[in-house]
Amino acid sequence: NIKDILIHDIYDGYYNINNGLLNVTGEHMVFINRNNIYKFIPVEDIIIGDKLFNYNETFIPIMSKEFIPYSGKVYNLSLDTNHVYYVNDILVHNTKARDII
């Protein structure tokens, strides 16, 4: 369940993955398959050819990754207990990479 929606400003930008499949800031974690290794990594570290896990339990190849300069508001979900959820049918983690290092 969604506990809170956090709104804050960013000043650098975000990544557009697969022509709008995901629009997300670089530190947010996504579940990928790279060379048969499955893990959560920050969006800024994904590469063309990685595969995103989707709601249908299949993997979607990353065909494009574009950095979009942007200053403005972004929205993050704070969840009750589960820290993973699907955005546009793609499995993501609500913890930022810097929060788990």
Side-chain angles (χ1 to χ4, degrees):
N1 293 335
I2 296 173
K3 183 168 74 172
D4 198 7
I5 298 175
L6 309 170
I7 303 169
H8 62 275
D9 291 312
I10 63 169
Y11 301 99
D12 51 356
Y14 63 90
Y15 288 92
N16 175 342
I17 307 300
N18 283 7
N19 298 313
L21 176 64
L22 283 180
N23 289 303
V24 63
T25 54
E27 71 270 8
H28 282 87
M29 308 287 276
V30 292
F31 190 70
I32 64 141
N33 172 353
R34 179 186 295 166
N35 301 322
N36 291 320
I37 297 172
Y38 303 88
K39 60 184 173 179
F40 279 98
I41 67 169
V43 167
E44 63 193 357
D45 293 340
I46 64 174
I47 58 175
I48 303 301
D50 285 347
K51 297 174 186 136
L52 298 167
F53 188 73
N54 77 6
Y55 187 75
N56 295 322
E57 298 182 0
T58 59
F59 284 89
I60 298 173
I62 295 173
M63 306 299 287
S64 66
K65 174 184 172 184
E66 178 184 9
F67 184 76
I68 308 293
Y70 171 76
S71 292
K73 303 231 179 284
V74 294
Y75 303 85
N76 294 324
L77 299 179
S78 175
L79 306 177
D80 283 341
T81 55
N82 196 355
H83 295 285
V84 297
Y85 56 96
Y86 291 92
V87 173
N88 291 350
D89 291 339
I90 302 299
L91 186 62
V92 301
H93 200 293
N94 75 337
T95 301
K96 297 177 183 174
R98 68 174 182 260
D99 294 339
I100 61 173
I101 294 175

